[in-house]
Amino acid sequence: MCDCKETKLRYRADQLFASPIVLKETSETVGWVCIQEANDADMLKAAKKMAKKIMKENGHKGKEIEGFNFRDLTEVTEEEMAFIPSPGSGSPTLTMPRDFNLMFQTNVGAMSDASSVAYLRPETAQGIFINFKNALGTSRAKIPFGIAQIGKAFRNEITPRNFIFRSREFEQMEVEYFIPPGDDVWQPFHEKWMQESKDFLLSVGLREDLMGWDVHEGDGLAHYARACTDITFRFPFGEQELMGIAARGNFDLTQHTEGSGKSLEYYDEQSKERYIPHCIEPSLGVDRLILALICSAYAEDEVNGEKRNFLKFDPKIAPVKVTVLPLLKNKEQLVSVARELYDKLKMRWNVSWDASGAVGRRYRRADEVGTPFCITIDFDTIEKDAGVTIRDRDTTEQIRLSMDEVIPYLSEKIDGY
């Protein structure tokens, strides 16, 4: 955490990025820029604007400078900090970084004293470790096995910003996959989870060309972790961490054993050994995943000479699976047959009803929210018993199926069976 001594504003040191302004011709440092974390394009734009102002003030207007070499303020020296301007004051008025508590503190019970202090969970993982022995005993699982959880987590962010990437409350999904100890054991499991995590993201519709890897090394690795690799995603505003796969060792179970006095050892019936299991932890932010899915699904094409914008969601994760469209809303026979089909479908999937406007316009509305299939009930349906028309969102092709074939067809397309 850093404070601005002039404006009294407070910042997280790892969310402030500084870079020297170096003249290209002489390699002379003529000042520093300091900007807050944002997407890559906005950070570069802000840095250029600040550098232009500083160079003008220092008599170097119009001179070319080298590219910025950003470092967050946890990595700068005290000597460098003396020249780094505060985003609040524009002058070097920042304090050196110091520690602060990222956990939300609260009080449980009627009294607000030291004995009632509690903290909102900063991650979902610790609930799994606390219940490890209980889950092991009731499920009769044998290592290797995993426990998965989804839920809210809370962080005491000083300056929430950067859209959904620095928020005080967020939804998190984690798996703690418990494995035997040993330096030759964890690496194959870690590599397997890295590949399976990527395969999962691809299976729900993320674009592979927008995904990348970020391997944590040295100071970027948590003190308890043996390894950690992030799957990154290139959003329209820059590349961000999407999912982390960490080899956490046995740090957590060891800490809970020491703190509680209760053994969390596992007895391996095959090796006849007792040990505290190690674990591999895939961790994924739900909000980030949904945003990545939307970015991956956005598509544009041309239909009958008209530009079309639509969301190309995989059918199994599309929020609305089917839209039912009676050709005319003022024809009771059409509406009743369509409503009967709608009622059947909504028992299996989330479906929508749209009876207003021209059919083509209704197709476009369904495309825009990513609905994979539209079913139209027309006069052939009720007069000739000729079934219904099912339109595919991606190809816009239409087929006719009898009423009895509709649910099996959709089940295969949406659920895969």
Side-chain angles (χ1 to χ4, degrees):
M1 178 173 69
C2 293
D3 287 321
C4 176
K5 290 178 281 189
E6 183 175 321
T7 64
K8 309 304 180 186
L9 292 174
R10 182 164 285 172
Y11 306 94
R12 270 186 60 168
D14 62 346
Q15 294 178 15
L16 289 183
F17 291 82
S19 171
I21 304 171
V22 181
L23 295 179
K24 184 173 286 188
E25 185 177 349
T26 62
S27 297
E28 177 188 359
T29 299
V30 295
W32 285 74
V33 296
C34 182
I35 55 175
Q36 296 188 65
E37 180 185 51
N39 63 69
D40 296 342
D42 287 347
M43 286 178 63
L44 185 60
K45 182 179 179 181
K48 286 181 177 179
K49 184 177 180 180
M50 183 178 288
K52 185 177 180 180
K53 179 182 177 183
I54 291 172
M55 290 177 65
K56 182 178 179 181
E57 293 173 351
N58 294 345
H60 298 286
K61 182 179 179 181
K63 294 183 180 179
E64 286 191 60
I65 61 173
E66 296 180 2
F68 296 112
N69 180 26
F70 291 116
R71 288 178 291 157
D72 70 60
L73 294 196
T74 63
E75 300 176 2
V76 303
T77 65
E78 194 167 351
E79 290 76 19
E80 290 172 329
M81 187 65 90
F83 300 99
I84 296 174
S86 163
S89 67
S91 304
T93 55
L94 290 171
T95 63
M96 284 299 291
R98 61 189 189 279
D99 293 336
F100 78 102
N101 196 344
L102 258 177
M103 293 193 295
F104 269 117
Q105 181 176 315
T106 187
N107 294 90
V108 178
M111 301 298 293
S112 295
D113 54 24
S115 65
S116 67
V117 172
Y119 298 90
L120 301 183
R121 64 181 183 185
E123 61 176 4
T124 59
Q126 297 309 316
I128 296 175
F129 294 121
I130 290 173
N131 287 285
F132 168 74
K133 203 74 172 178
N134 186 34
L136 186 66
T138 55
S139 67
R140 301 175 65 195
K142 297 184 183 301
I143 285 179
F145 75 95
I147 302 174
Q149 180 168 275
I150 180 172
K152 293 287 187 184
F154 305 87
R155 302 278 172 86
N156 185 24
E157 295 286 352
I158 295 174
T159 51
R161 56 184 298 107
N162 200 14
F163 196 27
I164 62 171
F165 296 95
R166 293 291 183 190
S167 56
R168 291 183 173 134
E169 178 183 338
F170 54 94
E171 196 85 14
Q172 191 175 28
M173 298 189 293
E174 291 185 311
V175 175
E176 301 302 332
Y177 190 75
F178 298 100
I179 61 174
D183 292 335
D184 59 336
V185 175
W186 67 266
Q187 287 180 320
F189 280 108
H190 187 240
E191 290 172 2
K192 179 183 177 184
W193 271 102
M194 285 168 56
Q195 185 59 50
E196 291 191 355
S197 297
K198 183 179 180 181
D199 290 343
F200 162 72
L201 295 173
L202 292 173
S203 73
V204 296
L206 260 64
R207 285 172 49 186
E208 188 170 10
D209 61 308
L210 298 178
M211 296 166 63
W213 298 98
D214 180 21
V215 180
H216 293 217
E217 296 177 329
D219 293 339
L221 197 62
H223 67 91
Y224 55 78
R226 296 191 167 197
C228 183
T229 299
D230 291 339
I231 298 177
T232 61
F233 187 84
R234 193 167 71 252
F235 293 94
F237 45 80
E239 192 169 22
Q240 298 280 351
E241 173 194 346
L242 180 65
M243 181 178 187
I245 304 97
R248 292 182 74 125
N250 63 0
F251 175 80
D252 299 277
L253 289 179
T254 300
Q255 292 298 108
H256 286 298
T257 296
E258 294 174 356
S260 66
K262 300 291 184 180
S263 174
L264 294 178
E265 288 184 328
Y266 171 81
Y267 178 69
D268 193 315
E269 294 179 357
Q270 288 188 332
S271 65
K272 307 302 180 185
E273 293 179 325
R274 288 188 178 276
Y275 55 78
I276 294 181
H278 289 219
C279 75
I280 306 296
E281 180 195 71
S283 179
L284 175 61
V286 179
D287 303 334
R288 298 183 183 198
L289 174 58
I290 298 302
L291 182 60
L293 284 170
I294 293 172
C295 293
S296 294
Y298 180 79
E300 297 178 353
D301 67 2
E302 195 171 287
V303 177
N304 298 325
E306 292 184 9
K307 183 179 177 181
R308 178 177 69 139
N309 302 323
F310 65 106
L311 292 175
K312 203 172 182 178
F313 286 129
D314 187 289
K316 62 176 168 285
I317 62 99
V320 180
K321 310 297 186 187
V322 181
T323 296
V324 178
L325 316 171
L327 185 63
L328 298 172
K329 66 179 180 180
N330 57 356
K331 295 294 182 181
E332 182 58 33
Q333 284 183 295
L334 290 174
V335 173
S336 63
V337 172
R339 182 63 70 177
E340 183 180 352
L341 177 61
Y342 170 80
D343 289 339
K344 287 180 181 179
L345 295 178
K346 75 178 183 181
M347 296 176 69
R348 289 174 172 261
W349 304 289
N350 187 28
V351 298
S352 66
W353 172 273
D354 192 350
S356 300
V359 170
R361 187 168 296 176
R362 285 184 266 172
Y363 283 158
R364 289 292 186 273
R365 288 200 289 259
D367 293 343
E368 287 175 353
V369 298
T371 305
F373 304 104
C374 289
I375 300 179
T376 304
I377 288 79
D378 54 24
F379 288 104
D380 285 346
T381 307
I382 58 176
E383 294 175 357
K384 301 180 182 180
D385 195 22
V388 297
T389 300
I390 300 182
R391 173 189 179 268
D392 183 274
R393 174 200 62 208
D394 299 341
T395 64
T396 70
E397 292 180 358
Q398 301 181 20
I399 61 172
R400 288 200 73 92
L401 293 177
S402 68
M403 283 290 191
D404 293 338
E405 294 175 305
V406 170
I407 289 179
Y409 173 82
L410 293 176
S411 182
E412 182 182 350
K413 295 291 185 180
I414 296 171
D415 304 320
Y417 58 86

